[in-house]
Amino acid sequence: MNKIKVFRAFFLGLTLVIFSSCSVKKNGVVAHRGAWKTNNFPENSIASLRHAIDLKLAGSEFDVWRTADDSLVINHDAHYNKLLIEETNYEDLIKFKLSNGEKLPTLREYITEGKRNNKKTLLVCEIKPSEISKERGKKTALKAVETIKKLKADKITCYISFDYEILKQIRQVDPVTALQYLEGNKSPQEVKSDNISGIDYHYSVFQKHPEWIKEAKDNHITLNAWTVNDANIMDWIIENKFDYITTNEPELLNQRIKNKK
Ligand code: MG
């Protein structure tokens, strides 16, 4: 074999190694609002994120809102202790602790914890659509992306949203970050045409549109399903080899995945 052929073979081998290490492992378990259930942690707390990372899960999901005075905070509902987050200042929100004594986390605090001793867990960042205006939601998304980039966590973060405009806004400022659409009303080809790289739909959407599973795979659209807590539905999704499965029951899902092997 001459030298050129040896080099060619070497680079082909190298390319294959790089590509196979980039490919997403199937059936990655994503803890919905962190891994909170078994230890009775509050949802979306730092403790629930830490537990997801310690369990070495493929991902941990959380929800982002922006306060009236522009702080990004982690909470599921639009309200926190009966206060509408978007119309309340940060200082007034943190007067109330979470049930485990934690302060309402900011995005900065959450991501900082998410980077600590974390080799496996993707930070799945849901940007909540604004209850005030579409524009406000898009601005929240831009601020979240800016914060995550400043903390150098963009490589371990993906963004999800029910608001398609929010995802398109993120795509405008970041051509490569992973985006997954939540609403369940667009086909894989439709999202691909808008440069959205994944779909994360309620599992019932895939039961109604089983053809979207193959369509997503054929178009290299990441597949994720929420919120899969029932063992039979877990088994159905596992058999269909989704990239990710979002659940409130990560331990049970891990067990079901092991059973299938
Ligand atoms: Mg969420």
Side-chain angles (χ1 to χ4, degrees):
M1 208 186 283
N2 66 30
K3 264 187 191 167
I4 292 171
K5 275 186 181 164
V6 171
F7 274 119
R8 259 195 214 146
F10 173 74
F11 282 113
L12 180 65
L14 192 67
T15 311
L16 286 174
V17 168
I18 291 168
F19 271 96
S20 58
S21 66
C22 286
S23 67
V24 185
K25 255 194 195 165
K26 298 289 173 183
N27 295 326
V29 175
V30 177
H32 182 235
R33 306 179 198 166
W36 48 271
K37 203 168 182 184
T38 315
N39 295 316
N40 213 13
F41 293 139
E43 297 175 13
N44 275 313
S45 60
I46 298 265
S48 70
L49 168 65
R50 186 74 254 157
H51 192 47
I53 294 169
D54 291 345
L55 287 171
K56 298 188 168 51
L57 300 180
S60 188
E61 187 262 359
F62 56 94
D63 306 283
V64 178
W65 290 96
R66 181 160 55 99
T67 66
D69 57 345
D70 283 347
S71 286
L72 298 172
V73 295
I74 312 302
N75 192 66
H76 178 260
D77 296 343
H79 289 82
Y80 178 69
N81 279 277
K82 298 190 179 144
L83 299 166
L84 191 64
I85 294 173
E86 292 190 279
E87 290 181 348
T88 309
N89 286 342
Y90 173 72
E91 288 300 328
D92 294 319
L93 290 169
I94 61 167
K95 286 174 184 160
F96 303 92
K97 299 279 188 206
L98 305 188
S99 65
N100 65 343
E102 262 182 48
K103 182 177 73 64
L104 177 69
T106 62
L107 179 66
R108 177 177 299 275
E109 291 160 350
Y110 212 80
I111 296 294
T112 302
E113 181 66 23
K115 284 182 68 186
R116 201 168 61 80
N117 294 334
N118 178 7
K119 297 226 164 31
K120 300 235 185 293
T121 309
L122 181 71
L123 307 176
V124 181
C125 177
E126 178 173 353
I127 309 292
K128 288 292 188 182
S130 171
E131 307 234 315
I132 296 170
S133 71
K134 279 267 188 195
E135 282 311 307
R136 195 174 196 282
K138 289 203 265 183
K139 196 173 163 199
T140 302
L142 290 176
K143 281 184 165 289
V145 171
E146 192 185 303
T147 302
I148 287 166
K149 281 195 173 160
K150 265 192 200 149
L151 293 169
K152 297 193 166 50
D154 39 322
K155 297 266 184 333
I156 58 164
T157 302
C158 87
Y159 297 93
I160 62 175
S161 189
F162 281 96
D163 186 335
Y164 203 62
E165 296 305 312
I166 281 180
L167 296 180
K168 291 210 294 192
Q169 175 71 80
I170 297 175
R171 181 54 80 229
Q172 274 185 21
V173 297
D174 190 329
V176 295
T177 194
L179 302 171
Q180 295 173 14
Y181 180 48
L182 292 168
E183 184 60 45
N185 58 357
K186 289 183 189 291
S187 72
Q189 291 207 19
E190 270 181 280
V191 301
K192 188 183 184 180
S193 69
D194 287 317
N195 233 336
I196 308 299
S197 51
I199 52 175
D200 178 5
Y201 292 166
H202 189 259
Y203 61 81
S204 65
V205 172
F206 294 110
Q207 290 171 330
K208 253 181 253 154
H209 289 281
E211 75 282 6
W212 282 0
I213 299 172
K214 185 174 183 296
E215 190 181 316
K217 289 177 184 177
D218 289 348
N219 286 282
H220 304 289
I221 293 296
T222 303
L223 273 172
N224 191 347
W226 55 270
T227 302
V228 186
N229 301 323
D230 176 274
N232 291 322
I233 295 162
M234 284 177 181
D235 290 348
W236 182 71
I237 301 278
I238 295 164
E239 279 160 21
N240 279 285
K241 296 194 169 51
F242 277 45
D243 298 290
Y244 297 105
I245 310 169
T246 303
T247 181
N248 291 334
E249 307 277 1
E251 294 90 349
L252 172 65
L253 179 53
N254 265 333
Q255 197 52 54
R256 302 306 290 194
I257 291 167
K258 259 189 212 153
N259 291 351
K260 293 269 163 195
K261 282 176 184 166

